[in-house]
Amino acid sequence: MNYKNKTLVVIPARSGSKGIPRKNLKLLGGKPLIAYAIKAAQESKKANRVVVSTDCEEIAYNAKLFGADVIKRHNDLSKDAVTLDPVIKDVIEKLKLEKEDYDLVITFQATCPFITGKDIDGVIDMFGNSKINSVVSVTEDKHLRWKKSGETIVKDYEKRVNRQKLPDTYKETGGLIAVRVSKFTQTRIVKPVEIYELDEQSGLDIDTPKDLLFAEALLARKKIALWPIGVNEKGMGHIYRTMLIADFLTLHEPKFVMEDEGHEGIKLIKRYHYPLKHLPNKNQIVQYLKQNKFEVVIIDSLDTRKEIICELKIAGIKVITFEDLGSGSNFSDLTINALYNKENQANKRNHIKFGSKYFLLRPEFQQLKDNSFSKLDKNSITLIFGGSDPNNLTLKSIKECHHLKDKHKVNIILGPAYKFTESLTKFVNKIDPEKKILIVKDTKQISGFINSSLIVLCSGGQTLYESIALNTPCIVISQNKRELTHGLLAEGFGGLKNLGLHSKLRKGQIKKILEDVINDRKNLKSMQKQIKKLDLISGNKRVITLLNQIISQ
């Protein structure tokens, strides 16, 4: 490859733009639009000189402020009808008078702020092939197209197929056009022509106010890592919560990072096609985040360590944690502890938020809160013990409440990581030959089942709070000691019956408490009354507002 082509980059920037007044000087992220092109050209390792061609004193002054040379353009070359070919030719001829000759000239439009120095170098590299005379920047443009033929509209494709199967077609961006100076006589497009493909963002050409608005949004995008724990023993609530957060971060660039041991969590994230990188251990994840210049990391992996949080912070990465009582939470930028009500003495910065008012509720639960479906008479008993149910509380509970199937509809909801399906199904088939008990695995309609329930049997994590959000009383069996510290359980909330840790359960205890609740309608109404005092609907707005405050800093 021949990298010795002497290269001139010309940024044409005339005054008089009508679509966007003073377009080349329009502020984008607080800087004039033309500044982005100048900086990118200066960052090229293979371009020899950068000049701005303009008829405008103000543009010329700003170009010089950002380090570019300026060549004055004659008014005759600044009229609307004039193409860029004679403008670029004018620059080359004026530089020749100064005894400067170039092998390549690249036209770089100031209206393409996301083109980089690497893109310019990539274009220059393509001229290592001596047969190439011109290179044009393009973006992929596969679409089913229609065109006008005379007075008739006709299709412009052979076969109607999915976009991915359409032939490769490209749209010229106008951002970069390069040509060998020796071949440039009338036009910069001289065969043979090669294309340089840009991604959608790099190919953005600002021509309308909407383009400018889009560019502002792209410029404000942050690289955000979502780091949840995904092992069976800790449940899948951390995965579901971070997926919900990812869905809220539509203006940014979220990517999941996980440790290899979280097989079930990794499988779940891949299933929904979220961007994902998994690595052997925490230290390697930290190095990956630093090397790839992530700007924010959201950690949902239980108690964080001070050392990890501080290393990320020293690297300039904002750190947000969820469900975190570890030493690292004292050093985070924000910690959301919706499942805990106790305040932390170290929370002098008020950056740790406690309590159910910060609970993140999936949209389908919010929708059902005011839906007419919620007005139905509730008669179901639903068993749902999270995404994995590591202690198989589902089987333990159905063994004590299957007799209620004759008076109530009994639903068993299994999560995607539940490992005991075979033994559970075998038991239910034995005691329920009439198939009155419904077993559903990995349903997307959990909110509907909970909403139609008279009462829910669950563990003390996400499902408890989601059930409470739908005014559904719960009987709670904790999977681990940590769940016992969750706010609604630790403080004796009246909208639930707390049976404590699963290993402490006595035989017949589930059956008795369930029958007591169902048969005592007065007590049931009292539980519902307590539930209505909680506000779990506004949590999303509170949390997303807090997240955005940190992300935008």
Side-chain angles (χ1 to χ4, degrees):
M1 299 289 283
N2 176 19
Y3 297 127
K4 295 182 180 179
N5 288 307
K6 190 175 179 183
T7 303
L8 170 69
V9 177
V10 180
I11 302 172
R14 72 182 180 94
S15 59
S17 171
K18 297 177 177 60
I20 302 177
R22 300 177 73 250
K23 178 166 65 174
N24 291 306
L25 295 175
K26 205 74 175 177
L27 293 182
L28 175 65
K31 293 190 294 186
L33 189 55
I34 195 171
Y36 292 90
I38 293 171
K39 181 183 178 185
Q42 290 169 338
E43 290 176 348
S44 165
K45 295 179 180 179
K46 297 174 182 177
N48 300 90
R49 190 175 178 185
V50 181
V51 301
V52 171
S53 168
T54 184
D55 62 330
C56 174
E57 180 185 356
E58 188 178 7
I59 292 175
Y61 178 68
N62 276 272
K64 290 176 182 178
L65 286 178
F66 286 97
D69 296 327
V70 174
I71 291 182
K72 177 71 174 175
R73 189 191 309 184
H74 195 277
N75 291 338
D76 290 343
L77 292 175
S78 300
K79 296 176 181 177
D80 290 345
V82 177
T83 67
L84 283 177
D85 290 326
V87 172
I88 305 305
K89 197 75 173 171
D90 176 66
V91 173
I92 293 171
E93 290 172 354
K94 286 178 177 176
L95 290 177
K96 275 187 178 181
L97 294 175
E98 298 176 11
K99 302 194 181 304
E100 282 194 39
D101 292 304
Y102 292 89
D103 301 302
L104 306 177
V105 61
I106 299 178
T107 309
F108 183 3
Q109 292 280 26
T111 52
C112 298
F114 297 107
I115 287 176
T116 66
K118 288 184 179 180
D119 292 320
I120 294 171
D121 290 341
V123 168
I124 294 171
D125 285 346
M126 298 183 85
F127 286 93
N129 181 347
S130 60
K131 295 180 180 179
I132 300 301
N133 287 327
S134 293
V135 175
V136 178
S137 65
V138 299
T139 54
E140 183 187 75
D141 193 34
K142 291 183 180 181
H143 289 91
L144 294 171
R145 299 189 178 281
W146 293 74
K147 63 183 180 181
K148 195 168 186 179
S149 177
E151 298 299 318
T152 307
I153 300 296
V154 296
K155 65 181 184 179
D156 193 21
Y157 55 89
E158 292 182 8
K159 187 178 180 181
R160 193 173 188 87
V161 294
N162 290 337
R163 190 180 71 84
Q164 293 82 355
K165 294 184 178 180
L166 288 169
D168 290 339
T169 53
Y170 302 94
K171 178 177 69 174
E172 188 175 320
T173 69
L176 298 171
I177 296 179
V179 62
R180 293 187 190 277
V181 174
S182 61
K183 301 293 183 180
F184 180 17
T185 55
Q186 300 299 320
T187 175
R188 292 164 296 150
I189 309 297
V190 183
K191 294 180 180 179
V193 178
E194 187 55 270
I195 59 172
Y196 181 83
E197 188 174 352
L198 298 168
D199 60 33
E200 186 177 5
Q201 178 170 325
S202 298
L204 177 64
D205 181 16
I206 296 176
D207 195 43
T208 68
K210 285 184 179 179
D211 294 333
L212 192 62
L213 184 65
F214 186 40
E216 282 282 7
L218 289 174
L219 203 62
R221 289 188 93 197
K222 299 290 180 68
K223 285 185 71 174
I224 300 176
L226 297 157
W227 183 357
I229 192 171
V231 295
N232 264 6
E233 294 75 17
K234 304 300 182 183
M236 292 295 109
H238 308 278
I239 299 293
Y240 284 114
R241 179 163 48 217
T242 46
M243 286 198 298
L244 177 59
I245 293 169
D247 291 342
F248 278 119
L249 297 176
T250 52
L251 296 179
H252 300 286
E253 190 179 347
K255 183 173 185 176
F256 280 84
V257 293
M258 289 186 66
E259 294 171 70
D260 289 341
E261 67 175 2
H263 304 296
E264 293 300 332
I266 289 171
K267 189 187 301 181
L268 192 57
I269 290 167
K270 285 184 175 179
R271 173 179 168 185
Y272 290 100
H273 306 291
Y274 289 100
L276 169 68
K277 179 74 173 180
H278 53 91
L279 293 160
N281 55 56
K282 288 182 173 66
N283 289 334
Q284 289 192 34
I285 289 177
V286 170
Q287 296 311 310
Y288 172 79
L289 297 176
K290 291 163 61 178
Q291 291 166 7
N292 288 274
K293 301 184 186 312
F294 280 86
E295 295 159 279
V296 181
V297 58
I298 298 174
I299 304 176
D300 195 338
S301 58
L302 297 176
D303 300 344
T304 60
R305 297 194 341 250
K306 167 187 173 181
E307 295 77 13
I308 285 180
I309 303 302
C310 288
E311 185 174 353
L312 291 168
K313 295 270 291 182
I314 290 170
I317 301 173
K318 297 288 183 183
V319 180
I320 299 168
T321 67
F322 279 78
E323 203 170 334
D324 185 6
L325 298 178
S327 61
S329 66
N330 295 324
F331 299 89
S332 70
D333 292 280
L334 173 68
T335 291
I336 303 292
N337 282 335
L339 302 186
Y340 308 103
N341 288 343
K342 65 178 182 179
E343 294 292 342
N344 189 329
Q345 289 183 350
N347 189 24
K348 295 178 181 178
R349 293 185 288 127
N350 194 34
H351 70 290
I352 305 178
K353 307 299 180 183
F354 290 91
S356 58
K357 67 179 182 179
Y358 296 104
F359 184 76
L360 280 172
L361 192 64
R362 286 181 281 178
E364 59 264 34
F365 287 87
Q366 289 193 321
Q367 179 66 22
L368 275 178
K369 186 75 176 176
D370 298 317
N371 195 293
S372 59
F373 182 53
S374 64
K375 310 285 193 294
L376 294 174
D377 291 331
K378 299 183 178 184
N379 189 46
S380 298
I381 298 168
T382 296
L383 284 63
I384 175 169
F385 290 94
S388 59
D389 187 12
N391 297 297
N392 203 7
L393 302 184
T394 304
L395 181 58
K396 183 175 288 189
S397 298
I398 195 62
K399 283 182 176 180
E400 295 201 15
C401 68
H402 63 81
H403 64 287
L404 295 172
K405 68 183 183 299
D406 295 325
K407 293 183 179 180
H408 300 272
K409 184 176 181 180
V410 178
N411 304 313
I412 297 175
I413 311 300
L414 307 177
Y418 182 72
K419 299 294 187 183
F420 313 102
T421 304
E422 186 177 347
S423 59
L424 174 71
T425 304
K426 184 177 180 180
F427 174 79
V428 172
N429 288 340
K430 181 179 178 181
I431 54 92
D432 183 31
E434 297 178 354
K435 307 292 184 185
K436 292 183 179 180
I437 298 174
L438 177 66
I439 299 178
V440 180
K441 185 166 186 177
D442 196 17
T443 179
K444 304 299 180 293
Q445 302 179 46
I446 291 176
S447 57
F449 283 104
I450 292 175
N451 197 52
S452 64
S453 298
L454 180 67
I455 196 158
V456 166
L457 276 74
C458 63
S459 47
Q462 300 272 72
T463 304
L464 167 61
Y465 286 75
E466 290 172 341
S467 300
I468 296 301
L470 294 179
N471 297 327
T472 305
C474 298
I475 294 175
V476 184
I477 307 168
S478 293
Q479 298 274 9
N480 50 61
K481 291 182 179 179
R482 188 183 182 100
E483 284 188 358
L484 293 174
T485 67
H486 290 177
L488 295 183
L489 297 175
E491 296 191 355
F493 174 63
L496 58 84
K497 298 296 181 182
N498 183 6
L499 299 188
L501 191 62
H502 71 95
S503 58
K504 305 287 186 178
L505 278 174
R506 302 184 304 276
K507 186 176 181 180
Q509 189 177 1
I510 298 173
K511 178 180 178 181
K512 183 179 185 307
I513 196 70
L514 184 55
E515 289 178 346
D516 288 348
V517 170
I518 290 173
N519 294 328
D520 187 350
R521 292 297 171 129
K522 185 177 179 181
N523 185 23
L524 198 59
K525 287 182 179 179
S526 175
M527 293 173 72
Q528 291 173 334
K529 187 175 180 181
Q530 291 297 313
I531 288 172
K532 289 180 179 179
K533 293 179 180 179
L534 280 183
D535 175 21
L536 296 180
I537 297 299
S538 304
N540 287 12
K541 185 176 180 181
R542 289 191 189 97
V543 173
I544 298 306
T545 298
L546 290 169
L547 293 184
N548 284 333
Q549 287 173 357
I550 300 299
I551 291 169
S552 63
Q553 289 177 1

